[in-house]
Amino acid sequence: MNANKPARSNGRLVGMLLGVVVLMGALSWAAVPFYSWFCRVTGFAGTTNVAEAASDRVLDETIRVRFDANVDSNLGWTFRPMQREIELKIGENAIAFYEAINNTDQPVTGTASYNVAPDAAGYFFNKIECFCFTEQVLQPGERVEMPVSFYVDADLVDDRDAGRIRDITLSYTFHRTDPPAPKQAALKTTTAPTVN
C-alpha cells in the first residue's frame, strides 16, 4: 500500500509541472499581443493612436512636431523626413512626407516601427493615414515620397501629465522584412455534367 503512494505523488507532481509549463507557454504567447494592445490603448512607450477621421476640435494653441528617421543597417535604403518640423494648432490635421530610396540592385521590403516622444504625448497623437500601416516594397533605385496624416488631440491640454507638452518628436525606423509571398491564383474547378 505504501509503494503506491510515492507513484501517485510523483504522478501528481509531473501533472502539476506540465500544467505550469503549459500555463507559462500560454502566457508568453499572449504577452506580445497584450503588450501591443496595452500600448495602443494607453499611449505607453510613445505608441500613437489610429483615427478614422480628422479632429473636429481645433484650439488656438500651437504645438511643434519634429520628424526623425532611422534605418536598419542591412536595409540598404536612404530614409529621411522631407521637413524637419511643422508647427500647427492643437487638433489641426497636418500632412508630412518622408522620402525613401532603395540604394540596392534588388527589390527590398521594409516595415516601419514608430513612436513619439515624450511618451506621454503618444496617447494624444492620432494618425489618420500612414505608410507605417503596411509593408513598403521599393524596386532597385526607386525613390518614393510617403505621407503621414495626423493631428494632436485637443484633450492633450487638459491632461495632468501631458498638458504642458508643446514639442513632440515623431520617429520612424525602417526594418528589413521578408518580401510578401506571391499570391497564387485559385483554380476554379467545375465538374462536368454526367450523361445518363
Side-chain angles (χ1 to χ4, degrees):
M1 196 159 201
N2 286 345
N4 287 338
K5 189 172 184 177
R8 253 187 294 162
S9 181
N10 287 343
R12 184 180 300 155
L13 180 62
V14 168
M16 287 176 24
L17 290 175
L18 283 173
V20 168
V21 168
V22 169
L23 178 65
M24 295 299 280
L27 290 175
S28 65
W29 174 81
V32 171
F34 178 76
Y35 181 77
S36 176
W37 169 82
F38 177 78
C39 289
R40 281 193 316 271
V41 169
T42 64
F44 182 75
T47 303
T48 64
N49 290 315
V50 177
E52 301 271 330
S55 172
D56 57 357
R57 182 175 164 219
V58 179
L59 305 179
D60 283 333
E61 292 187 58
T62 61
I63 194 160
R64 181 173 39 209
V65 179
R66 294 187 178 101
F67 303 95
D68 179 52
N70 305 284
V71 292
D72 273 351
S73 58
N74 67 344
L75 188 64
W77 287 8
T78 300
F79 176 60
R80 66 176 190 87
M82 297 185 71
Q83 62 287 299
R84 286 286 169 211
E85 62 185 47
I86 292 177
E87 189 166 310
L88 65 151
K89 291 181 178 180
I90 296 174
E92 178 182 9
N93 193 54
I95 297 177
F97 289 88
Y98 281 77
E99 175 188 55
I101 304 168
N102 180 354
N103 301 315
T104 71
D105 60 357
Q106 59 188 352
V108 176
T109 303
T111 302
S113 60
Y114 54 87
N115 70 334
V116 297
D119 290 349
Y123 182 76
F124 302 98
F125 198 96
N126 293 274
K127 292 181 185 177
I128 299 170
E129 191 69 43
C130 183
F131 58 88
C132 58
F133 296 158
T134 59
E135 291 179 334
Q136 304 295 320
V137 180
L138 271 64
Q139 298 303 315
E142 184 179 7
R143 176 193 172 274
V144 294
E145 293 181 6
M146 299 180 290
V148 55
S149 173
F150 66 93
Y151 66 90
V152 178
D153 195 304
D155 289 342
L156 170 106
V157 297
D158 299 324
D159 187 77
R160 183 174 58 94
D161 296 324
R164 295 179 182 252
I165 295 172
R166 294 301 178 266
D167 287 292
I168 297 175
T169 301
L170 175 60
S171 182
Y172 288 98
T173 301
F174 255 104
H175 310 274
R176 190 176 195 129
T177 55
D178 293 330
K183 292 182 180 176
Q184 187 174 11
L187 297 175
K188 187 174 184 179
T189 58
T190 58
T191 56
T194 55
V195 178
N196 289 335

